[in-house]
Amino acid sequence: MTTLFVDVIIPVPIPGYFTYRIPKEWDSLIEIGLRIVVPFGSSKAYTGVIVAVHHTPPKNYQAKYVLEILDEYPLINASQLKLIEWVASYYMCTPGEVFQAALPSGLKISSQSKIQLNPTFEEWEQLTEKENSFCEFLKGKESCTFDEAKLFLEVKSPYHLIKSLVGKSAIIVFDELKDRYSPKVVRKIRLRGDYLSTEAITTLINSLESKPKQLSILLHYLRFIPVLKDASYNEKGLEKKSFTQAELSESSLQSLIKNGVFEIFEQIVSRFAGEDDSFIPRDFKLSDPQNRAFQEILAGFETKDVALLKGVTGSGKTEIFIRLIQEALTNGDQVLYLLPEIALTTQIVIRLKKIFGEQLGIYHSKFSDNERVEVWKSVAEGKYQFIVGVRSSVFLPYKNLGLIIVDEEHEQSFKQADPAPRYHARDVSIVLANMHQAKVLLGSATPSFESYFQAKIGKYALVELNERFGSTQLPEIRLIDTKYAAQAKQMKGGFSTEMIEKLQVNLEAGKQSLLFQNRRGYSPYIQCQLCEWISQCSQCDVSLTYHSKDRELKCHYCGYKEPMPTRCGACGSTQLQTMGYGTEKIEEEIQLHLPDARIGRVDLDTTRSKTAFNQLIHEMQSGNLDVIVGTQMVAKGLDFDGLSFVGIFDADKMINFPDFKAHERAYQLITQVAGRAGRRDQQGEVYIQTNQPAHELFQFILDGNYEGLYELEMVEREGYHYPPFVRLIKLVIKHIDENKVDLAARDLGRALKDKYGPGRILGPEKPLIEKIRNLYAQEILIKLEKGISLSKFKKSLREDLDLAQTWNVFKGVQLVIDVDCN
Ligand SMILES: [Zn+2]
Ligand SMILES: [Zn+2]
């Protein structure tokens, strides 16, 4: 019998696969898609996945033995492996990097992993003796390293034990870089086992007749948890706060617990359950326009794999999605619903959860690893037929996807910026759908021009929904010329008097307002009034933002912070002034103008925890806030019935941003934010402050003329060779030494220009921010016209880059490849 070898993807950035040999006794256990633990380097070990089984030893190295087999059946299926390979090849990165992004940490235990006890674990009786002693060991610590675990357990390879404990939810495995996990826990009450028969409950009720308070607690429980009908309901229990909310006696409840009638237990709950009690009808009716769009999508799917639904804000795209999802599920298909960032769109998740219940799994990068492992397994086992998730959910183990919906498809956050794989989840989802012969529906009020282009040339089906639901009109938008206002002395700080008056009127009418300033902090920089010195980050080529709450200067790129200086860093004068506007300053000024208004702020600083965000949204919904000040976080999918006015600051910055997509993005963002105003029978109003009201972009925005802007942009992009007429690949060269970056970039640029022609190679050029975290950068942009074979070009480019990295000037230089960087 000859030795078996396996090719394995391991989560490290090496090109291709690594080959290992299988100990004879495991020959019959080996299968493609199984996870195994393999040694790497002198002392490391990783979880990898088998992609091929064969008898050929590797040519250039001695294959090491596989250390452990973690699975009995493949946890990663063939189409997932195919997708990983596709992403690696398309985005010019390694399968290991894709594997790293695709699997939650809990599924790829490595010698680098950290381990903590799951704080809510209770089922100690499930553990073996050894597992139990390891958990006891963990109890006293925040976490332990893999090596510490090895040492404590006195074994060479603790993988099996750790895997088993992850499976029992007793421990949590995480990567060092990620935050530790803190679950959301509720306290619940349930009957003790002795009281689960009809006789026992009847006896209990009789015995409590003299204690009416305790009796009413028992009856309250039985009303919500009908154990008499089915004893298994008791398992779930009733939230403790249900009793308090019903104003039942706390001390009587305690006596019932003390007397052994009830027991108290804790349960981890989904962060999306029960946060919103609004009534959501399951069997709503589509309006006529919605129904027409629905039928058009179905018709489009007859001949095309992708449909684009362009529906104005408030047109009720969600109802159409729900119908399509229901249909797919009825056909026995799996459905994936991709959203940009779920934390920001809880309203829709709550709604979907209420409609689809147990079939629906949520996959979010902010969830704990155990939760993500759980979702992974539930998808593999077919428990979840419907996944709502962020971009990495394209990598889940689907078996029979029938439909993928990409909501807000124009959102930039679908593209991963860092680290590799720098993939675009929308584009990957189209490839994924293709593997499953599934359909893709892209949805947006303001589609990305590249998707709209595909629809216009007939590659995608195009469905438009131009009427808002009910009789609501689109908001009325008005421009305020801040240059003129300043001359006429009609500016008070960052506010025009018109804006202030409008806010006052709105407040007096009991209506809500939203102020959009796409910049957090108090002011983007501070400046010396004598010598014009500006506070700069020492590690990055950016100014430091002043945050008034902490009285600190912070770098938004590297996280560096320092206390607000009292003196100028150059001349020593004390005349330092905050310059420009961030959300904190807008909040402060509006409070001065409207002293009675209740104001909330939504930006990265106020919403670090997910509950904080939900809390603010809840306050706004229940009318406890009059004004909300926010960054683009508020532009996405939030609907407030009482919101009738939107004020937009700093529109000029968006318009003048040096990027070929600046106008498209400004149009999208302003239209999305403006769309928050007005609902039902009330037309909303939007004021935009700008010092260039004559800019052509505003005319398109005022008229809601997406089509017009699109046509104009297409002419320009075709003329100047930008997407969708060409494809862009960006090469970024980075090093701590500016000189070295310049030389390496210059030589690489020259070589590429010689080979591919100067028309296709632009740069090298300094990026907008030259230095981040002490690394200087230069960029080379590659433009590939249509008709060139992308895969051939990438192969050739890969060879060029591999060669370049052997040059002397490239020693120690970082090279980043970003495919479809637009
Ligand atoms: Zn910095
Ligand atoms: Zn100075």
Side-chain angles (χ1 to χ4, degrees):
M1 232 172 94
T2 42
T3 313
L4 268 191
F5 291 92
V6 287
D7 294 342
V8 182
I9 305 180
I10 44 178
V12 286
I14 47 162
Y17 309 122
F18 227 69
T19 305
Y20 290 89
R21 63 190 296 173
I22 301 293
K24 277 255 174 306
E25 64 270 28
W26 290 351
D27 277 4
S28 61
L29 305 175
I30 290 302
E31 216 179 318
I32 289 176
L34 289 185
R35 289 176 308 139
I36 51 176
V37 179
V38 293
F40 188 74
S42 57
S43 62
K44 286 180 185 145
Y46 290 105
T47 295
V49 59
I50 300 175
V51 293
V53 185
H54 55 80
H55 294 286
T56 324
K59 279 200 188 90
N60 304 321
Y61 55 93
Q62 183 83 39
K64 291 180 183 168
Y65 276 106
V66 168
L67 297 177
E68 292 267 354
I69 304 174
L70 292 180
D71 302 322
E72 281 159 34
Y73 60 92
L75 199 78
I76 291 139
N77 64 41
S79 71
Q80 281 178 289
L81 291 175
K82 227 166 100 187
L83 189 70
I84 289 177
E85 239 167 89
W86 184 88
V87 170
S89 135
Y90 186 86
Y91 291 100
M92 296 184 76
C93 59
T94 69
E97 287 168 316
V98 185
F99 179 75
Q100 174 72 354
L103 268 76
S105 315
L107 291 181
K108 39 173 210 250
I109 311 157
S110 79
S111 52
Q112 321 299 105
S113 303
K114 291 208 160 191
I115 303 151
Q116 72 172 98
L117 192 67
N118 183 350
T120 57
F121 180 69
E122 277 181 350
E123 287 139 7
W124 292 84
E125 67 282 358
Q126 284 187 16
L127 303 183
T128 66
E129 203 174 312
K130 192 143 207 187
E131 290 171 343
N132 197 48
S133 75
F134 181 58
C135 288
E136 287 293 337
F137 163 73
L138 281 175
K139 249 186 186 171
K141 315 173 162 289
E142 284 233 315
S143 67
C144 87
T145 66
F146 199 81
D147 284 339
E148 287 169 330
K150 234 157 104 174
L151 215 64
F152 174 82
L153 292 164
E154 297 175 323
V155 289
K156 217 173 91 197
S157 149
Y159 294 96
H160 260 291
L161 184 117
I162 291 174
K163 184 196 142 203
S164 163
L165 286 171
V166 168
K168 291 171 180 171
S169 280
I171 61 167
I172 293 163
V173 172
F174 61 104
D175 293 340
E176 188 151 15
L177 294 173
K178 273 191 204 139
D179 289 343
R180 290 179 68 240
Y181 165 56
S182 56
K184 185 181 167 188
V185 176
V186 289
R187 292 163 73 77
K188 289 185 154 189
I189 306 285
R190 67 183 164 212
L191 282 173
R192 281 205 178 265
D194 329 346
Y195 292 98
L196 285 182
S197 66
T198 313
E199 300 86 38
I201 290 176
T202 320
T203 320
L204 181 62
I205 290 176
N206 291 336
S207 73
L208 288 179
E209 258 172 12
S210 57
K211 295 167 183 152
K213 280 184 183 167
Q214 291 188 20
L215 183 61
S216 47
I217 284 173
L218 178 64
L219 294 177
H220 178 81
Y221 183 81
L222 293 175
R223 189 177 321 137
F224 288 96
I225 312 293
V227 282
L228 290 174
K229 224 190 270 165
D230 184 342
S232 70
Y233 284 121
N234 189 54
E235 280 287 298
K236 284 188 172 178
L238 187 61
E239 274 193 50
K240 187 163 175 282
K241 74 173 188 210
S242 163
F243 297 94
T244 6
Q245 276 165 356
E247 293 181 358
L248 292 162
S249 154
E250 169 74 30
S251 59
S252 304
L253 178 61
Q254 289 307 335
S255 328
L256 283 169
I257 294 169
K258 214 168 68 199
N259 298 336
V261 174
F262 281 119
E263 61 184 359
I264 194 159
F265 66 106
E266 286 181 340
Q267 194 175 51
I268 311 175
V269 290
S270 153
R271 283 158 181 76
F272 292 106
E275 282 164 357
D276 180 307
D277 296 326
S278 61
F279 175 69
I280 289 163
R282 236 168 253 254
D283 44 355
F284 55 90
K285 264 210 160 68
L286 293 183
S287 70
D288 286 346
Q290 283 172 331
N291 195 40
R292 209 179 308 128
F294 174 68
Q295 297 300 339
E296 279 178 38
I297 292 166
L298 292 181
F301 282 156
E302 297 276 317
T303 54
K304 290 176 177 125
D305 292 330
V306 184
L308 172 63
L309 174 60
K310 176 176 177 287
V312 295
T313 51
S315 60
K317 288 187 287 295
T318 313
E319 283 82 359
I320 300 174
F321 294 158
I322 291 170
R323 275 286 176 273
L324 287 163
I325 295 163
Q326 285 170 330
E327 198 142 296
L329 293 175
T330 312
N331 291 338
D333 290 334
Q334 287 175 317
V335 177
L336 166 63
Y337 189 145
L338 277 175
L339 277 165
E341 183 60 57
I342 289 183
L344 307 182
T345 39
T346 38
Q347 280 175 317
I348 187 159
V349 177
I350 289 165
R351 178 157 186 203
L352 292 172
K353 188 91 201 165
K354 285 200 178 169
I355 292 176
F356 294 99
E358 299 290 300
Q359 282 178 293
L360 167 66
I362 298 161
Y363 197 69
H364 194 293
S365 52
K366 292 219 174 78
F367 277 6
S368 78
D369 238 276
N370 279 23
E371 284 172 291
R372 292 201 290 154
V373 169
E374 199 59 50
V375 174
W376 184 288
K377 289 186 172 157
S378 301
V379 174
E381 288 157 10
K383 186 184 152 216
Y384 291 145
Q385 285 294 99
F386 176 24
I387 288 293
V388 178
V390 290
R391 62 175 180 242
S392 58
S393 49
V394 294
F395 294 114
L396 286 168
Y398 304 106
K399 285 204 181 104
N400 60 328
L401 266 177
L403 174 68
I404 302 179
I405 292 172
V406 186
D407 200 1
E408 310 286 347
E409 67 86 30
H410 64 279
E411 268 295 322
Q412 272 171 275
S413 60
F414 281 126
K415 175 87 158 73
Q416 173 149 316
D418 238 359
R422 296 178 174 81
Y423 66 105
H424 198 303
R426 177 196 61 209
D427 300 348
V428 171
S429 76
I430 292 174
V431 175
L432 172 67
N434 196 276
M435 288 175 181
H436 289 263
Q437 266 122 48
K439 301 293 180 187
V440 180
L441 178 62
L442 309 177
S444 174
T446 52
S448 65
F449 285 178
E450 62 261 22
S451 293
Y452 197 60
F453 179 82
Q454 298 298 340
K456 281 287 187 179
I457 62 171
K459 228 178 138 191
Y460 301 166
L462 177 62
V463 178
E464 300 199 48
L465 187 56
N466 292 319
E467 291 152 71
R468 278 188 138 183
F469 192 73
S471 56
T472 328
Q473 288 170 291
L474 281 171
E476 192 188 308
I477 304 177
R478 168 176 186 162
L479 300 175
I480 296 173
D481 185 343
T482 43
K483 229 186 214 161
Y484 170 82
Q487 281 161 7
K489 304 250 178 298
Q490 288 169 357
M491 288 296 287
K492 291 183 182 167
F495 289 75
S496 62
T497 44
E498 257 180 293
M499 181 87 84
I500 297 170
E501 278 159 21
K502 180 73 211 170
L503 285 163
Q504 265 156 356
V505 170
N506 222 34
L507 177 65
E508 277 155 27
K511 290 174 187 163
Q512 292 172 313
S513 305
L514 167 74
L515 298 177
F516 174 67
Q517 167 67 43
N518 205 10
R519 207 178 224 168
R520 67 193 169 94
Y522 187 84
S523 66
Y525 62 104
I526 58 164
Q527 190 171 35
C528 171
Q529 295 307 290
L530 284 183
C531 75
E532 295 187 350
W533 169 84
I534 287 173
S535 56
Q536 287 269 340
C537 176
S538 56
Q539 309 185 60
C540 312
D541 170 37
V542 291
S543 62
L544 292 172
T545 301
Y546 174 55
H547 287 251
S548 69
K549 195 174 149 274
D550 311 319
R551 289 199 55 79
E552 273 177 340
L553 295 176
K554 293 181 187 173
C555 174
H556 288 180
Y557 288 84
C558 71
Y560 168 83
K561 53 188 174 186
E562 62 181 45
M564 171 75 165
T566 48
R567 288 179 181 277
C568 165
C571 74
S573 103
T574 51
Q575 298 187 39
L576 292 176
Q577 193 152 354
T578 60
M579 306 293 286
Y581 280 82
T583 43
E584 281 185 4
K585 195 167 181 183
I586 295 284
E587 184 188 17
E588 182 184 281
E589 284 192 0
I590 192 63
Q591 189 75 78
L592 289 176
H593 297 309
L594 309 176
D596 299 330
R598 297 159 300 172
I599 301 166
R601 175 159 58 87
V602 177
D603 57 29
L604 208 57
D605 299 312
T606 59
T607 59
R608 295 238 180 244
S609 78
K610 206 181 296 169
T611 41
F613 180 80
N614 290 340
Q615 184 63 27
L616 275 161
I617 299 311
H618 183 75
E619 294 287 305
M620 190 70 179
Q621 263 163 348
S622 38
N624 293 334
L625 290 174
D626 302 308
V627 181
I628 202 157
V629 179
T631 58
Q632 60 180 343
M633 286 181 134
V634 296
K636 291 171 206 167
L638 296 173
D639 297 326
F640 304 110
D641 283 337
L643 183 65
S644 66
F645 174 70
V646 170
I648 296 176
F649 297 82
D650 239 4
D652 301 317
K653 194 175 156 253
M654 289 184 255
I655 296 171
N656 301 330
F657 194 74
D659 182 278
F660 78 94
K661 278 197 150 188
H663 290 180
E664 177 187 340
R665 293 209 169 114
Y667 182 93
Q668 286 162 344
L669 194 49
I670 291 173
T671 307
Q672 296 269 343
V673 177
R676 305 295 126 224
R679 274 292 179 270
R680 304 224 170 116
D681 47 354
Q682 183 193 28
Q683 189 183 20
E685 277 181 276
V686 180
Y687 285 5
I688 303 175
Q689 291 194 170
T690 170
N691 58 32
Q692 42 188 344
H695 196 290
E696 61 184 4
L697 181 64
F698 284 122
Q699 206 49 53
F700 292 118
I701 292 174
L702 293 182
D703 300 341
N705 188 1
Y706 172 92
E707 188 77 28
L709 179 65
Y710 169 80
E711 297 291 346
L712 183 71
E713 283 281 304
M714 285 305 112
V715 172
E716 298 210 336
R717 291 192 196 176
E718 189 161 23
Y720 293 104
H721 306 290
Y722 275 103
F725 301 97
V726 298
R727 287 182 175 279
L728 297 182
I729 301 176
K730 187 165 73 183
L731 305 176
V732 188
I733 296 108
K734 294 190 208 173
H735 195 271
I736 197 157
D737 179 350
E738 189 175 12
N739 210 21
K740 216 161 173 194
V741 172
D742 292 352
L743 285 179
R746 189 198 62 194
D747 287 2
L748 179 61
R750 227 180 251 162
L752 294 177
K753 273 179 191 162
D754 283 349
K755 186 162 174 187
Y756 302 109
R760 294 203 184 103
I761 310 295
L762 273 68
E765 242 177 51
K766 285 184 175 164
L768 201 57
I769 299 165
E770 273 174 50
K771 183 179 79 165
I772 294 177
R773 292 174 194 271
N774 283 324
L775 287 178
Y776 289 89
Q778 288 266 5
E779 293 177 353
I780 295 171
L781 197 62
I782 302 171
K783 287 182 171 179
L784 281 186
E785 64 270 32
K786 291 276 156 84
I788 283 195
S789 157
L790 203 58
S791 52
K792 270 191 199 145
F793 177 83
K794 282 177 189 161
K795 204 166 159 249
S796 162
L797 178 65
R798 170 52 75 197
E799 284 163 14
D800 303 331
L801 297 177
D802 285 350
L803 181 67
Q805 281 173 300
T806 65
W807 299 344
N808 257 341
V809 287
F810 252 93
K811 260 206 190 104
V813 168
Q814 279 184 41
L815 178 68
V816 170
I817 310 169
D818 189 353
V819 177
D820 293 344
C821 58
N822 36 297

